[in-house]
Amino acid sequence: MASPSSIRIQTGNKKRAIYLAAALLAVMTGLAIRAYASALSTFLADHAGDALWAMKVYFGCRFFLVYKKIRLAASLSLLFCFSVEFSQLYQAEWINQFRETTVGALILGHGFLLIDLLRYAAGIGIAAALDKAVPFILNVPVVFERKKR
């Protein structure tokens, strides 16, 4: 019989693989939306990219915090996304040069927009809801462990 710690490691690795796949799917979907924005509705083209970016941040956070509560991952993801958005108010030459690169634009964006904060919150909310719902939809057992005292 497998020990509880080996079951936890196996479950954690499976969850990490799922979170990695979800983050990659969010990235690919976001890039596709950018590439085909003219073929999409204005609403989707305007808002989905930022929400998907935030979902990628959430799934990346869950990759590292696989045993922590969804609420913690959502809070840290929101803090990260908001920090990146507020960093756009900082306009030093060196960071603006980095923002002009493809990688810099994808990570840091270009200019502060208040609506982006709402898009990030929506994306993280959707990701957290999926995170909570998918195990039950797929009938995957959820392992909860008690903290040792």
Side-chain angles (χ1 to χ4, degrees):
M1 186 165 139
S3 70
S5 62
S6 69
I7 291 171
R8 181 176 178 176
I9 290 169
Q10 291 170 358
T11 304
N13 288 339
K14 287 178 185 177
K15 284 184 173 186
R16 281 190 178 91
I18 291 168
Y19 290 129
L20 180 62
L24 292 173
L25 181 62
V27 168
M28 291 186 303
T29 305
L31 292 174
I33 285 175
R34 285 182 76 132
Y36 300 105
S38 61
L40 301 171
S41 71
T42 304
F43 180 84
L44 196 59
D46 287 348
H47 303 292
D50 288 324
L52 284 161
W53 183 83
M55 290 174 79
K56 182 231 8 155
V57 169
Y58 173 83
F59 291 127
C61 187
R62 286 295 282 162
F63 178 86
F64 292 106
L65 302 175
V66 71
Y67 296 114
K68 300 297 182 184
K69 293 187 181 223
I70 290 173
R71 189 176 327 146
L72 176 65
S75 298
L76 291 174
S77 299
L78 203 57
L79 179 65
F80 178 82
C81 290
F82 279 30
S83 296
V84 168
E85 189 65 25
F86 282 108
S87 78
Q88 294 171 9
L89 296 171
Y90 180 66
Q91 295 293 316
E93 186 176 332
W94 68 271
I95 200 164
N96 286 337
Q97 288 175 344
F98 179 63
R99 286 183 181 123
E100 293 302 318
T101 66
T102 302
V103 173
L106 289 173
I107 295 172
L108 297 178
H110 285 287
F112 178 83
L113 293 173
L114 198 55
I115 189 71
D116 284 351
L117 302 177
L118 183 59
R119 294 170 183 155
Y120 299 152
I124 290 168
I126 291 167
L130 286 170
D131 193 4
K132 190 155 183 81
V134 166
F136 297 105
I137 294 168
L138 298 177
N139 199 21
V140 175
V142 179
V143 178
F144 296 101
E145 294 190 13
R146 294 177 187 246
K147 290 183 180 178
K148 295 180 181 176
R149 293 181 186 199

